[in-house]
Amino acid sequence: IISLLNFILRITWLFSYAQDSTSPPNIILILSDDQDVELHGLHPLQQTMQFFNMHGSRFTRAFTSTPICCPSRASLLSGQYAHNHKTYNNSLNGGCNGQLWREQFEPQALPVLLQKNNYQTFFGGKYLNQYKGTAVPPGWNEFYGLHGNSRYYNYTLRENEKNVSYTDTYLTDLLITRAAEFLRRTVRKEPAGKQPFFVMIAPPAAHEPFTPAPRHAGSFADVSALRTPSFNAPDRAKHWLVGSSQHLSQATIFTIDEYFQKRWEALLSVDEMVTSLVTILNETQCLANTYIIYTSDNGYHLGQFAQPFDKRQPYETDIKVPLLIMGPDVPKSQLIQIPVRLLDLAPTILEWAGISVPDYMDGYSFKKELNGAYKNKTLDVINHERTLILLIEYWGEGNDDTYNPLCPGQRHDHLAQCTPAVECRCQDAWNNTYACIRDFRFNLDRIFCEFLDNDHFEEAYDLAEDPYQLKNIVNDLFPIEKATYRILLKKLVKCAGKECSD
């Protein structure tokens, strides 16, 4: 079936694109949850990878600017860094779906701009962690937004004008059905080229509680978590939260292995989702003029540096995300080394749609680079033309409310993500706050971080030589290098609009 669909895809793009290329393109954005790329998180998506390997491109340097769900999703929707859209963490007090977001940033976000320019818009799945379904956010013609954080069963959706609760319906399957209904209904209502569509689907996988569909349970029962060189390896050269970790017990490692398996199994239904969407696009004759984007809000670690499982850290497992794109003028069967951020997707989508990118967006469009790669078909790897540094920023969210009485410590310690399931290893704290530069200038592959803790701790890694970030080289940098990084960070954490790229 997959081979046949791939053949149909080739024929469709060869013979259909010419007649559709003058019409505004359709856009589908699939946003998974907590899906890593460094720990082989794309492995379960075998069908998806076949499609994109043959008909699209895979980005090898795609990053979230804030490695946690709500700020990252707000950045994707707004095209802005978290320090500008003011969504700092997953809590309401931290700006997640707060009043400032709803009144100032949401009304000028990507779906609103597309809708104002004749796009039919659809959203299904997890929106923002603190969204509670009292109203449909602006910009969506059809909206099926999850109340709160990721769930697989026993959830409530805001379905346009009403809230609907489900008990036994697997959420990813429901999202496939709703998206399919929208696509077929929209195409029937509007002949090709009359009104393009923007579809954003945000399934729960691979987020906790890591629940696979029953048909997929046990599919990876023989798989263990990836034993990277940093697995269960405490590292005293890192900032205090990670540097104070002790070796994980065998019971915790068993839990990590179990979660690793279930995460992969939960992603199998997402793989089916992509296949279904491609099939429907082909059936409705929309495929040739549709961009399909697959990515995640952040990465995830499982056992690295003796940290059990979470995100929130400035290491590749947490900040690097999958990014797959196929569609008109996207090179096929290529690896793209252009460094990009999730907040660059909104400007790129707007340029695809022929809409001017607003000055308040911090991201920039990589449409031009993709077009250049498409025309230069002789290159296997496309290098980025610009000199580019990326900002990674995070604000620890430990407070009185994050105290877990089942774990050691006091409420005033302001620790967070402490759970007895992994011996109360706390994964966050109030001063787990940092800003980093991911530096690709001058053929470098480096990260430099400053932590806002009592020690003003700094970390730096040369990923070309040390891809697992085992050696903190901050004291090996030349003084001028450290001074330059500090100056750049001072500017970037305050930048807005085009000055963030300059």
Side-chain angles (χ1 to χ4, degrees), residues 1 47 203 297:
I1 294 174
Q47 300 175 51
D297 52 4

Side-chain angles (χ1 to χ4, degrees), residues 38-49:
E38 287 292 283
L39 303 181
H40 301 178
L42 284 170
H43 177 79
L45 306 182
Q46 292 295 306
Q47 300 175 51
T48 300
M49 293 305 295

